[in-house]
Amino acid sequence: MSLRVAFMDAGKAIFETVDKLRQRRTAPLVLELDLTEGLTEGPPSDPLAAVLSMRKPRLSDVLSGLRRARQDPRVRGLVVKVGGNPMGLAMVQELRQAVTHFRASGKPAIVFAETFGEFGGGTVPYYLATAFERVYLQPSGDVGLTGVAVEQRFVKGTLAKLGVGYEVGQRHEYKTAANTFTQDHMTEAHRESIGRIVESVTESLVAGIAEGRRLDPAKVRELIDRGPFTAAEALEAGLVDELAYRDEVYDEVKRSAGAEAHLLYVSRYAKGAAVRKLPQPMADAIALVHGHGMIRSGRSGRSPVGGGGAMGSDTISAALRAARRDEHVKAVVFRVDSPGGSYVASDTVWREVTLTRKVKPVIVSMGDVAASGGYFVSMGADVIVAQPGTLTGSIGVYGGKAVLAELFEKIGMNTELVGSGANAGMFATSRGFSPEQWERINAWLDRIYDDFVSKVAASRDLTRDRAHELARGRVWTGADAQASGLVDELGGLEDALALARRRAGLADDAPVRSYPRLNPLERLRGPDSSEDKSAALARIRMDAWGPLARLSAELGLPASGPLILPAWYAIR
């Protein structure tokens, strides 16, 4: 008898579980997004990246989830928590755009923050919050609406005291990446470029905050000059709608959505929708290729001792070739989020972009930064789409070395060099360049700059003189780059995908497939040749300039190459 009861109880439990799952699949939803740890830009490039980003939502999942939710009657609203982990301005603008479109469907979207900067700046996170219908702030929080600032430190004087000198050439006056070592202050061109970036970004922030909070732009600038604000001051100034703790915010969300509604993360919602609507293997689709991080030769990956990922030219080229040869891929979206790196690797990827463009449309979607080498790999596309806050351009080059002879003398170190060939030791840091070696360095810089500018002119349908005027190493915001013709349209990844679908003549809901697409067997067995799509697999490896890796470390220069935008340019 007891066995029978046990079976009946087990059956009842199974039935109740199935019934709960059925109800959960049909119950109303409130989508939730936790930005405490930020977002990842794209799919993991290697096993280490997969582990490190395991709990971070992916930008593409969030965008596609919010896009689908606009038309889903089950979705009753959206609640987002903005955290302290800074996100790049362009990514924030992508999220603002997605939230604005979500709200246009008539569904409420609210945002909660414990603080917008705790005794610190919080302008960009607050700018994100202003896209929402209501802004809630914890009573102990602050609104660090303090504006935009870009700071650079100059270590020339410090290095001189140590006996370290720098011999660096640049093309041209706006290519200021090495100025931190060669100058003790901002040059006129340097200050002009940074000043315009700050003002362009401020224009975007002011416009967005003014629209979101229904304030006059002049009033927003006045508030920026008065910030930061305590919670009570922010409420009085109309910067937030209510002061409340998380439990109070979520209780209100649940009351407005109905007792039967339940919370679901946007990324889970997007992945569940993708599983329910699996694209047919032979269906026509858009290929999405992600190029993230420093650009280098070889395969994508990251250092096992830290640092971000890298865009390997072999990996990206193999992905583009695979998409180009797939007859079911009708257009390619190349998502670029890179400050640049190796000139040779950038040129390799540029070539694959131009070859792909001959076969099918190629649309570039720029992330937070697509500058220097990041612009090099982008410029060959049919259309370039960027956010107003994207940092791009930086069409220029620099190179040289540190000279440590005086330092070695101070510390009693003697170096001797034995070589065969007049310039065999030209990159040694124990001595400066000879006049003949400087001639070779300058020839190298001129060749790279001329090639870069010539390809910009051809790709962007500009005269050589106009391309040079826009180049000279100058960094532009996406808004200014669009006005000058370096970028075609302002928008985000969803805009680029929609444009690719139109160019390819596909339906608005045509599937998107990340490339390279590899099954588990292909991942295990490895590539048969460099033409095999599994040649695009990433790996864990160290960043380097190839044979100049040791030199770049001694120079104190970025480890990924001469076409690079310094990290301090980031607007967060």
Side-chain angles (χ1 to χ4, degrees), residues 550-563:
R550 186 173 67 85
L551 170 65
S552 71
E554 292 190 35
L555 284 171
L557 296 175
S560 290
L563 301 185

Side-chain angles (χ1 to χ4, degrees), residues 4-87:
R4 180 183 177 187
V5 171
F7 274 119
M8 290 177 64
D9 289 343
K12 182 180 178 182
I14 292 172
F15 177 79
E16 289 176 349
T17 300
V18 171
D19 187 54
K20 285 181 180 179
L21 289 174
R22 180 186 60 79
Q23 293 179 19
R24 197 171 181 83
R25 284 198 301 270
T26 58
L29 296 173
V30 174
L31 297 184
E32 183 181 14
L33 177 59
D34 187 346
L35 296 174
T36 304
E37 297 298 323
L39 297 176
T40 58
E41 170 62 37
S45 60
D46 57 77
L48 181 60
V51 172
L52 294 176
S53 63
M54 190 177 297
R55 296 192 178 277
K56 277 189 179 182
R58 191 182 302 173
L59 176 64
S60 57
D61 289 338
V62 172
L63 298 179
S64 63
L66 292 179
R67 180 172 177 264
R68 180 177 181 275
R70 302 200 304 255
Q71 309 299 327
D72 188 346
R74 290 181 62 207
V75 176
R76 297 279 180 87
L78 170 69
V79 57
V80 175
K81 180 185 178 185
V82 175
N85 196 9
M87 293 187 294

